[in-house]
Amino acid sequence: MGRKVTVATCSLNQWALDFEGNLRRILRSIEIARNKGARYRLGPELEICGYGCWDHYFESDTILHSYQVLAQLLVAPVTQNIICDVGMPVMHRNVRYNCRVIFLNGKILLIRPKMVLANEGNYQEMRWFAPWPRSRQAEDHFLPRMIQKLTKQDVVPFGDLVLATKDTCIGTEICEELWTPHSPHIDMGLDGVEIFTNASGSHHVLRKAHTRVDLVNLATLKNGGIYLMANQKGCDGGRLYYDGCSMISVNGSTVAQGAQFSLDDVEVLTATVDLEDIRSYRAEISSRNLMASTVVPYTRVKVDFALSCHDDVLVSTTEPIRWHFHSLGEEISLGPACWLWDYLRRSEQAGFFLPLSGGLDSSATACLVYSMCCQVCQAVSNGNKEVLADVQRILNRDDVLPQDPQKLCGQLLTTCYMATQNSSQDTYNKAKELAEQIGSYHISFNIDGVVKAIMEIFRVMTGKMPQFLVHGGSSREDVAMQNVQARVRMVFSYLFAQLSLWSRGMQGGLLVLGTTNVDECLRGYVTKYDCSSADINPIGGMSKTDIRTFIQYCIDHFHLVCLRSIMAAPATAELKPLAEGQVSQTDEVACWPAPGQRIGGLPVHKEAGAGASESHSHLLDGGLAWSRGRQEDLSLSFASDTG
């Protein structure tokens, strides 16, 4: 019959500028697709060089090495008899484009440049690329000599064209083009294109999966067709986590769903679809047919190849499925944890160091590391050899076989409670109990001696000793006294991150984890050079409300019962003196200056405690002016710690 086609899309954990590793993963995905019977394979955006190359796109070597990888793909036996769609930067007439290179049996069929660039929020594609401005138009692209020798082609089509095989028509979109009001697939579908492909570099945002799935399904709901979306996965070396979630949709229904969060470097989805289902679906929509009769046609690149086979009567098609969405708590548990694992294994460090205060934010960060350990153990039990090799390399032990998340957490996570005379026994107990339940290597010590030494230096230099407000000091003195405690904890965090493993006879250093949530950042509710000054901050994009949802998920899913008391406790910085051994300071209570008093920063506080220490204002910015009887800061401009 020759009407049933099997197509493949994939999610790849590509590293920026890791050309050899990226090549291995691309070849592996093509091999899996072929073994599943696919005759078209789609990969993520810029998969050859990795999406997050940033200003390395300006370097000619990035394009050169991309062509070298393409050359190896063109001659690889595994790429024969399957149309391969890969992403790389291409320089055309001295203009750099974000392109799809589509080839078959050693010949390049088409180079399709991106027409709409993502240039808002986390994306800056206009900095490195130019959009292709001419819809339905193409030019000749002269191939570099290394490619000409392999393909025996001097020029290939470069532009907005579609492929016409013996049995169907294929059109290409790239990431942002799906999100625009008038996406290319609309006119392509009206012109008879039956298979749409979209190569993406779409990062994870809480609740974003719903929007992405709706866009893909809606692309074929009104117009019919097959829609393949491939997406990057993992941490590409920056702050973003790309969450896979590749999918295949047919006539508005999902038929294949990829994992949103996974430690697998390569994931391939396939679906078998009867082209007659597309044609009959479209034939029943009379309004579509009226519009299709007047559409401006696309130029077709004819391909002497068929995606279907003649004898396909007994081949079954892929049935629609219901998309499984993660709950909010589950999404927080999995996404940042996967990002932590990717960041750790690429940083060449031996684990994490977390100042654990016994408060909500630092506890949430600890739980994310524990969730990461759970996922690592699960991946190893599923036979993931890459994850096992990474664990053994990070721990510098070839005999490690991680099976117990608590034990692994003890090897990868060091938690630390740094107490002062203002710390309560309650937060000490909470931090210790959580560390025991997740299995982290936990230490605690008192930093009062260092705090007092710093204040004594200030007294010797200025002749004055600041006091807390409750001891008769001013608001400025009070804030400065709190800041010293907070920033001393940051110094100790980095000292122990660098040397704690060495002191235990182990190799490597640790990444310091931050514990500032997005609400505090947006409101300027943070202190410079305390917990906000970490190597990475896994909760930096989460609101306090979402963090509470995640903590409840950890209570229910991981059975970390100590989190109940942490959830119920009032948020406290524990930077002011205790009142009869009890906390006298809570984050919800604003401490405003006296009317008319001008100080360098708002005296607001958040959960800092004995681990994730935070307070406000510079000691010497405002403190030195105070010691000389002045009421202004010495800073060049009004730039307080609270933003």
Side-chain angles (χ1 to χ4, degrees):
M1 297 289 291
R3 63 185 192 184
K4 295 177 182 177
V5 298
T6 300
V7 290
T9 185
C10 61
S11 296
L12 303 182
N13 195 331
Q14 301 294 76
W15 298 24
L17 303 177
D18 179 21
F19 293 97
E20 293 181 356
N22 293 346
L23 172 62
R24 288 195 302 270
R25 287 180 282 272
I26 293 172
L27 288 172
R28 185 176 167 192
S29 69
I30 296 172
E31 181 181 12
I32 295 173
R34 276 190 44 156
N35 291 339
K36 290 186 175 183
R39 307 196 77 181
Y40 189 100
R41 175 268 182 198
L42 173 71
E45 186 175 10
L46 294 168
E47 60 186 305
I48 286 181
C49 59
Y51 184 83
C53 294
W54 301 94
D55 282 0
H56 289 289
Y57 287 121
F58 292 139
E59 300 168 4
S60 58
D61 277 357
T62 301
I63 295 179
L64 170 63
H65 297 324
S66 295
Y67 270 117
Q68 290 171 338
V69 171
L70 177 63
Q72 295 186 60
L73 290 171
L74 288 167
V75 299
V78 74
T79 63
Q80 300 302 301
N81 296 318
I82 180 173
I83 298 178
C84 298
D85 188 335
V86 299
M88 60 177 279
V90 174
M91 187 78 76
H92 176 69
R93 297 189 177 181
N94 293 336
V95 179
R96 189 182 305 101
Y97 294 96
N98 175 349
C99 294
R100 304 303 300 174
V101 179
I102 307 173
F103 63 92
L104 169 67
N105 295 334
K107 300 287 186 180
I108 295 177
L109 305 175
L110 168 67
I111 299 179
R112 203 288 200 169
K114 191 172 183 177
M115 302 176 67
V116 181
L117 299 181
N119 207 56
E120 67 283 331
N122 291 303
Y123 296 96
Q124 306 177 49
E125 292 182 7
M126 289 288 286
R127 176 180 174 89
W128 309 297
F129 303 107
W132 180 253
R134 296 186 285 280
S135 176
R136 297 176 178 82
Q137 296 183 36
E139 299 173 350
D140 285 340
H141 176 73
F142 289 83
L143 295 171
R145 284 175 292 179
M146 73 171 77
I147 303 299
Q148 291 181 18
K149 291 178 181 179
L150 298 175
T151 65
K152 308 304 179 185
Q153 299 169 287
D154 295 329
V155 296
V156 295
F158 184 100
D160 184 26
L161 308 177
V162 298
L163 298 180
T165 64
K166 290 182 176 181
D167 49 1
T168 188
C169 191
I170 305 168
T172 300
E173 288 186 330
I174 305 176
C175 197
E176 182 74 8
E177 295 170 6
L178 171 64
W179 299 73
T180 59
H182 192 86
S183 298
H185 70 259
I186 298 173
D187 290 337
M188 287 181 185
L190 294 174
D191 191 35
V193 173
E194 296 176 328
I195 301 175
F196 312 102
T197 66
N198 185 301
S200 289
S202 180
H203 72 291
H204 172 238
V205 175
L206 291 177
R207 308 172 182 88
K208 181 180 179 181
H210 295 74
T211 303
R212 190 187 291 146
V213 171
D214 288 344
L215 282 172
V216 172
N217 284 332
L218 286 172
T220 58
L221 178 64
K222 294 189 293 183
N223 209 359
I226 306 168
Y227 201 104
L228 287 76
M229 193 197 75
N231 193 24
Q232 164 85 2
K233 69 189 304 186
C235 170
D236 195 21
R239 296 182 302 159
L240 302 183
Y241 177 76
Y242 303 93
D243 57 343
C245 227
S246 296
M247 63 180 293
I248 302 175
S249 175
V250 178
N251 294 340
S253 298
T254 303
V255 296
Q257 172 188 355
Q260 187 174 10
F261 309 109
S262 169
L263 301 187
D264 296 332
D265 284 344
V266 177
E267 180 187 29
V268 178
L269 301 178
T270 60
T272 301
V273 183
D274 193 333
L275 293 175
E276 288 301 318
D277 291 339
I278 310 300
R279 295 157 187 167
S280 61
Y281 183 89
R282 288 178 169 178
E284 296 176 359
I285 308 175
S286 59
S287 58
R288 177 212 167 267
N289 297 336
L290 288 173
M291 297 181 67
S293 63
T294 60
V295 72
V296 178
Y298 279 80
T299 300
R300 283 160 163 73
V301 177
K302 297 181 180 179
V303 184
D304 187 18
F305 185 76
L307 302 188
S308 59
C309 301
H310 292 291
D311 187 14
D312 61 4
V313 176
L314 300 180
V315 176
S316 59
T317 57
T318 307
E319 296 296 324
I321 60 173
R322 181 182 295 274
W323 188 278
H324 169 71
F325 291 101
H326 294 289
S327 67
L328 178 60
E330 188 178 22
E331 195 173 353
I332 296 174
S333 174
L334 297 175
C338 288
W339 175 74
L340 281 171
W341 174 247
D342 260 1
Y343 204 102
L344 175 61
R345 68 192 184 110
R346 298 181 185 188
S347 68
E348 300 293 333
Q349 297 299 298
F352 300 106
F353 182 90
L354 172 65
L356 185 61
S357 69
L360 195 69
D361 289 344
S362 60
S363 297
T365 304
C367 291
L368 287 175
V369 178
Y370 180 71
S371 174
M372 180 201 78
C373 293
C374 292
Q375 293 187 65
V376 169
C377 291
Q378 183 63 46
V380 171
S381 67
N382 291 339
N384 191 317
K385 296 181 180 179
E386 289 85 1
V387 172
L388 176 59
D390 285 330
V391 173
Q392 293 175 342
R393 177 178 52 81
I394 291 170
L395 298 178
N396 196 32
R397 291 179 54 185
D398 295 335
D399 59 338
V400 173
L401 183 64
Q403 296 176 323
D404 183 1
Q406 285 184 315
K407 183 178 179 180
L408 182 61
C409 191
Q411 296 169 315
L412 294 178
L413 176 63
T414 298
T415 52
C416 179
Y417 184 89
M418 290 174 272
T420 67
Q421 60 186 359
N422 302 322
S423 303
S424 67
Q425 186 65 35
D426 184 52
T427 55
Y428 170 85
N429 293 336
K430 286 182 172 68
K432 182 179 179 181
E433 189 175 0
L434 178 59
E436 290 173 350
Q437 292 191 14
I438 65 176
S440 67
Y441 181 84
H442 189 64
I443 57 177
S444 60
F445 53 86
N446 192 288
I447 64 172
D448 277 331
V450 177
V451 173
K452 291 177 181 177
I454 292 174
M455 300 312 299
E456 179 62 20
I457 293 173
F458 183 83
R459 186 195 66 79
V460 170
M461 185 180 75
T462 65
K464 289 191 175 184
M465 176 62 78
Q467 300 292 331
F468 283 106
L469 194 63
V470 297
H471 295 157
S474 64
S475 296
R476 178 173 297 281
E477 297 170 67
D478 193 83
V479 171
M481 293 285 288
Q482 296 176 62
N483 284 340
V484 173
Q485 303 168 65
R487 289 171 178 140
V488 164
R489 289 180 174 128
M490 183 208 72
V491 174
F492 273 117
S493 293
Y494 275 95
L495 176 64
F496 276 81
Q498 288 179 298
L499 296 179
S500 61
L501 294 183
W502 166 80
S503 68
R504 295 156 57 189
M506 303 166 64
Q507 295 183 359
L510 303 175
L511 293 167
V512 178
L513 297 178
T515 59
T516 303
N517 63 61
V518 72
D519 290 339
E520 295 159 345
C521 292
L522 291 175
R523 288 169 171 80
Y525 196 55
V526 296
T527 301
K528 291 182 289 188
Y529 315 121
D530 64 335
C531 83
S532 60
S533 298
D535 293 318
I536 53 176
N537 183 6
I539 66 168
M542 302 180 205
S543 68
K544 197 80 170 185
T545 302
D546 287 347
I547 287 175
R548 287 187 171 274
T549 301
F550 167 61
I551 291 293
Q552 186 60 52
Y553 172 84
C554 292
I555 295 172
D556 300 334
H557 184 75
F558 296 130
H559 309 295
L560 301 175
V561 294
C562 69
L563 293 174
R564 292 195 180 99
S565 61
I566 294 174
M567 276 255 286
T572 175
E574 292 196 334
L575 296 171
K576 291 186 176 183
L578 301 175
E580 299 181 354
Q582 300 299 316
V583 172
S584 62
Q585 172 189 14
T586 58
D587 289 358
E588 285 78 13
V589 178
C591 303
W592 297 98
Q597 182 177 356
R598 179 173 178 266
I599 67 172
L602 297 178
V604 292
H605 312 282
K606 75 183 199 63
E607 180 222 336
S613 53
E614 302 102 24
S615 63
H616 313 275
S617 178
H618 292 293
L619 174 62
L620 289 182
D621 277 356
L624 189 57
W626 161 82
S627 72
R628 294 158 61 183
R630 295 164 58 188
Q631 292 296 315
E632 70 271 11
D633 284 346
L634 297 181
S635 51
L636 293 177
S637 61
F638 184 80
S640 71
D641 284 5
T642 55

